[in-house]
Amino acid sequence: MIIFSRRILRLIVVLSIFFLFSAFNTTSALAQINTINYNNASLEGRDFSNTDLKGVNFVAAEMRGTNFKNANLTNAMFTKGVMLKANLEGANLTGALVDRVTLDEANLRNTNFTGATLTRSRFFNADISGADFTDAIIDRYQVSLMCDRADGVNPVTGVSTRDSLGCR
């Protein structure tokens, strides 16, 4: 009788732990399901202006001419993307990952890149007037090219583009 009740007690403990673990894990699974993901998406010409896209993934997305004007892209992830002639004017990309992204001829006026990682990305002929790159990680070659045309002060952070890039 004692052996039988120990087995039942163990079974109850194991089932209780399983149900508790499942209850906590379900919340995490639901949070992941609700995450917006535009990986490998064709977003050419889409209008995301004034949209809250905090933490959204745009991995290998095609975003030529996409409008992100005044969008909240804090901690968003852009990797291996094409953003030719995209409009990011006034967007907030604080802490964003922008790795291997082509931003040629993009409108980056007054964009906030504070603390962003902008490695292996291109900014040829991009309008960076008033953009803030404070504490951003950018390839030296791109910084040297951007310093040639850096001007203006970011209206939100009050930091000059030249100072944020460390131009001399």
Side-chain angles (χ1 to χ4, degrees), residues 4 8 13 15 17 26 29 31 34 58 66-68 82 86 90-91 99 106-107 113 117 123 131 133 135-136 150 163:
F4 181 71
I8 291 176
V13 169
L15 288 174
I17 291 171
T26 302
N34 292 331
F58 295 92
T66 300
N67 185 8
F68 289 103
V82 178
D99 180 59
N107 178 2
F113 288 107
T117 301
F123 301 88
F133 295 95
D135 296 326
D163 288 344

Side-chain angles (χ1 to χ4, degrees), residues 10-137:
R10 284 184 193 157
L11 180 63
I12 291 171
V13 169
V14 169
L15 288 174
S16 298
I17 291 171
F18 173 76
F19 285 119
L20 283 172
F21 180 76
S22 296
F24 288 114
N25 227 11
T26 302
T27 305
S28 299
L30 288 174
Q32 290 174 356
I33 289 170
N34 292 331
T35 300
I36 298 173
N37 181 333
Y38 289 111
N39 294 347
N40 298 304
S42 178
L43 304 171
E44 290 184 60
R46 290 269 308 261
D47 185 5
F48 291 105
S49 59
N50 302 300
T51 305
D52 186 3
L53 299 167
K54 184 176 181 179
V56 173
N57 294 325
F58 295 92
V59 176
E62 176 65 49
M63 298 168 280
R64 294 172 196 259
T66 300
N67 185 8
F68 289 103
K69 185 174 182 176
N70 298 317
N72 180 10
L73 295 161
T74 303
N75 297 321
M77 183 184 301
F78 296 88
T79 60
K80 300 180 186 177
V82 178
M83 299 180 82
L84 290 168
K85 298 183 180 180
N87 183 8
L88 289 120
E89 183 174 348
N92 183 2
L93 279 92
T94 301
L97 174 63
V98 184
D99 180 59
R100 293 172 284 173
V101 176
T102 302
L103 289 150
D104 297 353
E105 299 181 43
N107 178 2
L108 306 177
R109 293 180 72 82
N110 303 322
T111 301
N112 186 354
F113 288 107
T114 302
T117 301
L118 307 164
T119 51
R120 297 182 285 179
S121 293
R122 293 180 11 175
F123 301 88
F124 298 137
N125 297 318
D127 183 351
I128 59 168
S129 300
D132 185 352
F133 295 95
T134 301
D135 296 326
I137 300 170

